[in-house]
Amino acid sequence: MSESVKATIDSDSTGNVPGAPATRVIKRHTLATRLWHWTNLVCLIVLLMSGLQIFNAHPALYWGEQSDFANPFIAIHARTAEDGERMGVVRIAGQAFDTTGVLGLSDDNGQLRERAFPRWATLPGDKWLTMGRNWHFLAAWIFVPLVVAYLLYTLLVPQRRRALFPTWVQLKNIPRTLLDHARLRFHHEADYNGIQKLTYLLVLFGLLPVMILSGLTMAPSVNAAWPWLTELFGGRQSARTFHFLCATALIGFFIVHIALVLVSGVFNNLRSMVSGRYRIQVEAHDGSEPRHD
Amino acid sequence: MTDSNTRLSTSPAPDRARRRLLGGLCALGAGTFLTGCDRLSESAPVRAALSNVEQLSYKAQRLIASRQALAKEFDESQIAPVFRPNGTTNPQEDYYRAWVENGFADWRLTIDGLVEEPMTLSLLALREMASRTQITRHDCVEGWSCIGQWTGVPLADLLDRVRPADTARFVVFHCADHTYGGSDLYYESLDMIEAYHPQTLLAYDLNGEPLPVANGAPIRLRAERQLGYKQAKYVMRVELVESFKQLHGGKGGYWEDRGYDWWAGI
């Protein structure tokens, strides 16, 4: 496998438009990274949607070891309003929100029915806990070993560490990079910028491990084997709540990720994750960020 | 429904129409994916692959959790005020009603199947045996948890008395209740490792009181490293078997016959 950020002058980079900044095409992502990325996409969609199916079996979250049924932290249900109409309600820490049509009460084959997450968001679409669990565990058995392998690969291979851990200069440039992002000015360089690196590190070494470890504590057998793991989260119901909140954070990451892919050159970005080739500007925008290739 | 009608009567601005189109395309994409997965859920090879995943989870958990690894036990102060009952909570069978009326005085537990010395025990005889008390957390497959204190006879002690044959591979628990008033009796099963686990009990007390009808009187199974649906209530017969083939749907449990994993450690 060739190094991910090693620049190789590409023949088609000679076709630069006169006057436009000089560009060239580099090999940005290794085959391993690309395969992992797209496998993750499929796994995460299956995990999310089957997870919502499982959540629907008891659509309430609590803190601590057990369920305080009268006082959930978050609950999604349907109730009858004063005017006799059925409505969907999400309750978060005692506050109620009307979510009719999407959460709590939604269209299910032409009829409004009580279900926490709507039909289009769950796998399978029907209320079917066992099949939701089956899909969840199948995807988890593919996803988790690959995450563990990728994290080790990232920690152990020096050029992977360089590609993901920010330099001091990049950290210092974060306010400037933020400002550039706000103005939709994107710099296409071989290296990730400071924000990208911190975000990927947070997801890779923060969200994903918490997601996986809290998921493991859902299993009574794992609780018996590693009781400290459940205690780390403050109890089994807290772990379930963390599992849900991390999934929500991952959706947030997903939305921002897609938005930035779209606005910062969707063709170039997609190509870099399909064939590995990525077009960069030859000269750094202001010379302040050092090159690492 | 009236809501969508009023929405249709106001003509949408052009960018709303475009947004709706984009939303529609996304929904179509998601819909195609969903229908695909829903269809896959029905196909035999996919179901076979999914049951291989169950085997994988079973073996992996057996590997990390030693035979004797104990489920966490809690403090008295953590016991839930009401232990939430689930599934059947008030069996209506005539024989069961009669047992309740006379305080289970003529109720008997049978232990038979692949054993050298089949036995029949009264509730009193069970209560006179050495007991174990444990405060544990019950985790339902739906996602909720409840902490309760259980007192009962370790199943291992009963198995030692009936002496299982070498061919016995599973312990099956036959229950008194027709689940949800249907035609099938509830039943469950454990492998020998889980059956001999020190926290596996036939429990007759909950929180220091005789087990209420809603929670499985007169005795229920506690297998603390398994999900709630394994914790069979209203147990009347314990049978040792080599396989589940001859029993009901052949999958080793009421919910297992309806698609749930036999391995309930996950």
PDB file of all heavy atoms in Angstrom, chain A residues 182-194:
ATOM      1  N   ALA A 182     -16.685  29.242   7.484  1.00  0.00           N
ATOM      2  CA  ALA A 182     -17.901  30.042   7.571  1.00  0.00           C
ATOM      3  C   ALA A 182     -18.122  30.822   6.279  1.00  0.00           C
ATOM      4  O   ALA A 182     -19.248  31.079   5.876  1.00  0.00           O
ATOM      5  CB  ALA A 182     -17.810  30.988   8.758  1.00  0.00           C
ATOM      6  N   ARG A 183     -17.015  31.198   5.609  1.00  0.00           N
ATOM      7  CA  ARG A 183     -17.134  31.933   4.341  1.00  0.00           C
ATOM      8  C   ARG A 183     -17.192  30.988   3.139  1.00  0.00           C
ATOM      9  O   ARG A 183     -17.109  31.433   1.999  1.00  0.00           O
ATOM     10  CB  ARG A 183     -15.913  32.841   4.160  1.00  0.00           C
ATOM     11  CG  ARG A 183     -15.827  33.957   5.173  1.00  0.00           C
ATOM     12  CD  ARG A 183     -14.611  34.790   4.811  1.00  0.00           C
ATOM     13  NE  ARG A 183     -14.295  35.771   5.824  1.00  0.00           N
ATOM     14  CZ  ARG A 183     -13.074  35.971   6.311  1.00  0.00           C
ATOM     15  NH1 ARG A 183     -12.050  35.247   5.856  1.00  0.00           N
ATOM     16  NH2 ARG A 183     -12.856  36.875   7.212  1.00  0.00           N
ATOM     17  N   LEU A 184     -17.243  29.694   3.429  1.00  0.00           N
ATOM     18  CA  LEU A 184     -17.250  28.657   2.385  1.00  0.00           C
ATOM     19  C   LEU A 184     -16.007  28.749   1.503  1.00  0.00           C
ATOM     20  O   LEU A 184     -16.071  28.520   0.290  1.00  0.00           O
ATOM     21  CB  LEU A 184     -18.523  28.724   1.537  1.00  0.00           C
ATOM     22  CG  LEU A 184     -19.834  28.466   2.302  1.00  0.00           C
ATOM     23  CD1 LEU A 184     -21.015  28.457   1.327  1.00  0.00           C
ATOM     24  CD2 LEU A 184     -19.796  27.156   3.074  1.00  0.00           C
ATOM     25  N   ARG A 185     -14.897  29.121   2.104  1.00  0.00           N
ATOM     26  CA  ARG A 185     -13.632  29.113   1.358  1.00  0.00           C
ATOM     27  C   ARG A 185     -12.859  27.887   1.783  1.00  0.00           C
ATOM     28  O   ARG A 185     -12.436  27.761   2.925  1.00  0.00           O
ATOM     29  CB  ARG A 185     -12.826  30.380   1.683  1.00  0.00           C
ATOM     30  CG  ARG A 185     -13.314  31.598   0.914  1.00  0.00           C
ATOM     31  CD  ARG A 185     -12.565  32.827   1.347  1.00  0.00           C
ATOM     32  NE  ARG A 185     -11.122  32.584   1.399  1.00  0.00           N
ATOM     33  CZ  ARG A 185     -10.259  33.423   1.972  1.00  0.00           C
ATOM     34  NH1 ARG A 185     -10.682  34.530   2.528  1.00  0.00           N
ATOM     35  NH2 ARG A 185      -8.973  33.156   1.970  1.00  0.00           N
ATOM     36  N   PHE A 186     -12.740  26.948   0.869  1.00  0.00           N
ATOM     37  CA  PHE A 186     -12.093  25.687   1.218  1.00  0.00           C
ATOM     38  C   PHE A 186     -10.763  25.579   0.503  1.00  0.00           C
ATOM     39  O   PHE A 186     -10.648  25.931  -0.671  1.00  0.00           O
ATOM     40  CB  PHE A 186     -12.989  24.511   0.861  1.00  0.00           C
ATOM     41  CG  PHE A 186     -14.301  24.560   1.584  1.00  0.00           C
ATOM     42  CD1 PHE A 186     -15.447  25.015   0.940  1.00  0.00           C
ATOM     43  CD2 PHE A 186     -14.386  24.189   2.918  1.00  0.00           C
ATOM     44  CE1 PHE A 186     -16.655  25.083   1.611  1.00  0.00           C
ATOM     45  CE2 PHE A 186     -15.598  24.257   3.592  1.00  0.00           C
ATOM     46  CZ  PHE A 186     -16.732  24.703   2.943  1.00  0.00           C
ATOM     47  N   HIS A 187      -9.756  25.132   1.208  1.00  0.00           N
ATOM     48  CA  HIS A 187      -8.428  24.972   0.621  1.00  0.00           C
ATOM     49  C   HIS A 187      -8.193  23.503   0.368  1.00  0.00           C
ATOM     50  O   HIS A 187      -8.331  22.685   1.281  1.00  0.00           O
ATOM     51  CB  HIS A 187      -7.372  25.525   1.571  1.00  0.00           C
ATOM     52  CG  HIS A 187      -7.695  26.919   2.005  1.00  0.00           C
ATOM     53  ND1 HIS A 187      -7.655  27.983   1.130  1.00  0.00           N
ATOM     54  CD2 HIS A 187      -8.121  27.410   3.194  1.00  0.00           C
ATOM     55  CE1 HIS A 187      -8.015  29.086   1.782  1.00  0.00           C
ATOM     56  NE2 HIS A 187      -8.310  28.761   3.027  1.00  0.00           N
ATOM     57  N   HIS A 188      -7.904  23.178  -0.862  1.00  0.00           N
ATOM     58  CA  HIS A 188      -7.712  21.764  -1.186  1.00  0.00           C
ATOM     59  C   HIS A 188      -6.235  21.431  -1.088  1.00  0.00           C
ATOM     60  O   HIS A 188      -5.458  21.828  -1.935  1.00  0.00           O
ATOM     61  CB  HIS A 188      -8.287  21.470  -2.559  1.00  0.00           C
ATOM     62  CG  HIS A 188      -9.758  21.771  -2.599  1.00  0.00           C
ATOM     63  ND1 HIS A 188     -10.274  22.894  -3.186  1.00  0.00           N
ATOM     64  CD2 HIS A 188     -10.803  21.114  -2.050  1.00  0.00           C
ATOM     65  CE1 HIS A 188     -11.588  22.913  -3.020  1.00  0.00           C
ATOM     66  NE2 HIS A 188     -11.935  21.850  -2.338  1.00  0.00           N
ATOM     67  N   GLU A 189      -5.905  20.739  -0.009  1.00  0.00           N
ATOM     68  CA  GLU A 189      -4.515  20.405   0.245  1.00  0.00           C
ATOM     69  C   GLU A 189      -4.387  18.920   0.495  1.00  0.00           C
ATOM     70  O   GLU A 189      -5.375  18.234   0.733  1.00  0.00           O
ATOM     71  CB  GLU A 189      -4.018  21.177   1.480  1.00  0.00           C
ATOM     72  CG  GLU A 189      -3.907  22.660   1.211  1.00  0.00           C
ATOM     73  CD  GLU A 189      -3.813  23.458   2.486  1.00  0.00           C
ATOM     74  OE1 GLU A 189      -3.529  22.847   3.533  1.00  0.00           O
ATOM     75  OE2 GLU A 189      -4.048  24.669   2.420  1.00  0.00           O
ATOM     76  N   ALA A 190      -3.138  18.464   0.457  1.00  0.00           N
ATOM     77  CA  ALA A 190      -2.891  17.043   0.664  1.00  0.00           C
ATOM     78  C   ALA A 190      -3.270  16.640   2.085  1.00  0.00           C
ATOM     79  O   ALA A 190      -3.819  15.573   2.320  1.00  0.00           O
ATOM     80  CB  ALA A 190      -1.434  16.721   0.399  1.00  0.00           C
ATOM     81  N   ASP A 191      -2.999  17.522   3.026  1.00  0.00           N
ATOM     82  CA  ASP A 191      -3.221  17.211   4.433  1.00  0.00           C
ATOM     83  C   ASP A 191      -4.596  17.701   4.876  1.00  0.00           C
ATOM     84  O   ASP A 191      -5.125  18.661   4.337  1.00  0.00           O
ATOM     85  CB  ASP A 191      -2.137  17.930   5.252  1.00  0.00           C
ATOM     86  CG  ASP A 191      -1.906  17.252   6.592  1.00  0.00           C
ATOM     87  OD1 ASP A 191      -2.512  16.187   6.819  1.00  0.00           O
ATOM     88  OD2 ASP A 191      -1.120  17.789   7.386  1.00  0.00           O
ATOM     89  N   TYR A 192      -5.162  17.038   5.887  1.00  0.00           N
ATOM     90  CA  TYR A 192      -6.385  17.546   6.495  1.00  0.00           C
ATOM     91  C   TYR A 192      -6.049  18.804   7.285  1.00  0.00           C
ATOM     92  O   TYR A 192      -4.932  18.953   7.781  1.00  0.00           O
ATOM     93  CB  TYR A 192      -6.956  16.533   7.490  1.00  0.00           C
ATOM     94  CG  TYR A 192      -7.613  15.324   6.888  1.00  0.00           C
ATOM     95  CD1 TYR A 192      -7.457  14.074   7.478  1.00  0.00           C
ATOM     96  CD2 TYR A 192      -8.410  15.423   5.753  1.00  0.00           C
ATOM     97  CE1 TYR A 192      -8.065  12.956   6.955  1.00  0.00           C
ATOM     98  CE2 TYR A 192      -9.032  14.303   5.225  1.00  0.00           C
ATOM     99  CZ  TYR A 192      -8.849  13.070   5.837  1.00  0.00           C
ATOM    100  OH  TYR A 192      -9.463  11.967   5.323  1.00  0.00           O
ATOM    101  N   ASN A 193      -7.018  19.701   7.450  1.00  0.00           N
ATOM    102  CA  ASN A 193      -6.788  20.855   8.321  1.00  0.00           C
ATOM    103  C   ASN A 193      -7.061  20.473   9.781  1.00  0.00           C
ATOM    104  O   ASN A 193      -7.540  19.377  10.075  1.00  0.00           O
ATOM    105  CB  ASN A 193      -7.616  22.054   7.866  1.00  0.00           C
ATOM    106  CG  ASN A 193      -9.101  21.799   7.980  1.00  0.00           C
ATOM    107  OD1 ASN A 193      -9.595  21.385   9.008  1.00  0.00           O
ATOM    108  ND2 ASN A 193      -9.817  22.041   6.872  1.00  0.00           N
ATOM    109  N   GLY A 194      -6.772  21.414  10.685  1.00  0.00           N
ATOM    110  CA  GLY A 194      -6.893  21.142  12.119  1.00  0.00           C
ATOM    111  C   GLY A 194      -8.280  20.713  12.547  1.00  0.00           C
ATOM    112  O   GLY A 194      -8.445  19.790  13.347  1.00  0.00           O
TER     113      GLY A 194
END
